[in-house]
Amino acid sequence: MPRSRIAVTGSTGLIGAALVRSLRADGHEVVRLVRRPAATGDEVEWDPKRQYVDVAGLVGCDAVVHLAGAGVGDHRWTEAYKQEIRDSRVLGTAAVAEALASLDTPPKVLLSGSAIGIYGDTGDRAVDEGAPPGEGFLPSVCVEWEEATAPAEEAGVRTVHARTGLVVSRRGGAWGRLFPLFKAGLGGRMGDGRQYWSFIALHDHIAALRHILATETLSGPVNLTGPSPVTNGEVTAAMGRVLRRPTLFTAPAPALKAALGEFAGDVLASQRVLPGQLLDSGFAFAFPGIDDAIRAALR
């Protein structure tokens, strides 16, 4: 990409913070949408719940990367928190899309977050971007989340839905919780371990986001997963190998359901998701295998 002005929501999260660092290191101008009055010239105020964006701060942006949303696994799924998960994604995305549509010269691209949760439980079946949505809470949220970008698409903005898998990082996310357990020798498989985990190294995830921004032929859903999904049992074995720790413990399905409630169903679900669009567009993974992705996270 030529040097650009890029707006980012969710800039304090695992992926957003890494993306901002990467873009700025290459000389791009990054403006961050923040949920308070802007304090510096690189900040733009917004309030996703009120669907408010200070549109003036987006003038001159070449691209917008929208990553904000409440953490799916941060709290037990009460009805109130499920509403928070939905609203933080759908209302926030609608606010960003409508703000872009209102500009006289909107940005060329909106890269909006989504998740492979849209496919539901795929079992052993491998799916790519052509697969239909699954059933359940997370698939329904993802469908509404993606549909909320409609105003930007109708305004002619190239719109991409980045369907993110499990990001391998020790800095945060689901994997950030696994590393301390496995380092302490307390790690093990979840349930029967046969469910597929579609992972991607954080390095590759950031590189993929930048590839999408720079590749004008990419639009619509793009799976951000590695090329070789593995089972939870294989993840467990790889974590033991790389960290040189035993992996004798297991978390039986009933225990997970007691601890996590409804969310346990998604933890135990199998999602064998392939990055068809990325591969077809020429993207090359630096850490395609699970052992390499874990080692990269440790570095």
Side-chain angles (χ1 to χ4, degrees):
M1 283 181 69
R3 290 188 178 181
S4 304
R5 177 178 167 88
I6 302 170
V8 179
T9 76
S11 63
T12 60
L14 171 67
I15 295 169
L19 178 63
V20 169
R21 287 194 301 269
S22 175
L23 291 170
R24 285 180 170 167
D26 283 347
H28 297 285
E29 179 187 357
V30 178
V31 294
R32 300 177 301 111
L33 275 69
V34 296
R35 301 177 195 187
R36 52 172 171 73
T40 62
D42 69 344
E43 295 181 344
V44 175
E45 183 182 359
W46 82 311
D47 185 333
K49 289 186 177 180
R50 291 194 296 118
Q51 294 186 274
Y52 166 77
V53 179
D54 182 2
V55 178
L58 300 180
V59 172
C61 284
D62 302 290
V64 174
V65 182
H66 173 48
L67 301 172
V72 171
D74 289 356
H75 299 279
R76 193 177 182 89
W77 280 10
T78 62
E79 289 304 312
Y81 194 66
K82 286 168 68 175
Q83 192 65 45
E84 173 69 15
I85 290 171
R86 185 185 299 273
D87 288 350
S88 67
R89 286 160 173 76
V90 178
L91 298 182
T93 301
V96 170
E98 289 166 6
L100 300 187
S102 72
L103 292 171
D104 292 335
T105 305
K108 296 177 181 177
V109 56
L110 167 61
L111 175 47
S112 186
S114 185
I116 62 170
I118 195 168
Y119 302 112
D121 191 333
T122 72
D124 292 336
R125 178 172 53 93
V127 299
D128 61 14
E129 291 86 353
E135 297 181 356
F137 172 67
L138 286 183
S140 69
V141 168
C142 290
V143 168
E144 290 186 55
W145 192 4
E146 295 187 1
E147 288 176 345
T149 62
E153 294 181 69
E154 292 165 2
V157 178
R158 175 170 69 93
T159 302
V160 180
H161 306 291
R163 293 177 175 175
T164 296
L166 292 167
V167 179
V168 185
S169 172
R170 60 187 173 87
R171 296 178 179 174
W175 229 285
R177 297 169 187 160
L178 293 180
F179 272 108
L181 289 173
F182 277 88
K183 283 183 176 181
L186 301 175
R189 71 175 190 271
M190 297 182 183
D192 61 20
R194 292 197 294 267
Q195 68 272 28
Y196 274 90
W197 280 20
S198 296
F199 69 91
I200 184 170
L202 178 61
H203 173 96
D204 283 332
H205 193 286
I206 301 306
L209 291 176
R210 295 191 56 169
H211 174 78
I212 291 168
L213 290 175
T215 306
E216 295 181 0
T217 56
L218 284 173
S219 63
V222 178
N223 293 334
L224 269 66
T225 60
S228 304
V230 293
T231 65
N232 173 257
E234 291 170 321
V235 167
T236 300
M239 291 286 281
R241 274 194 307 273
V242 174
L243 297 175
R244 299 181 181 179
R245 294 290 190 275
T247 56
L248 303 177
F249 290 87
T250 62
L256 285 172
K257 291 174 182 176
L260 302 178
E262 184 181 348
F263 180 48
D266 290 272
V267 171
L268 296 168
S270 180
Q271 294 196 305
R272 192 177 183 182
V273 180
L274 303 178
Q277 290 278 64
L278 281 180
L279 294 174
D280 289 348
S281 65
F283 181 76
F285 288 87
F287 306 102
I290 185 60
D291 288 54
D292 288 338
I294 295 169
R295 291 192 183 99
L298 293 174
R299 292 198 295 270

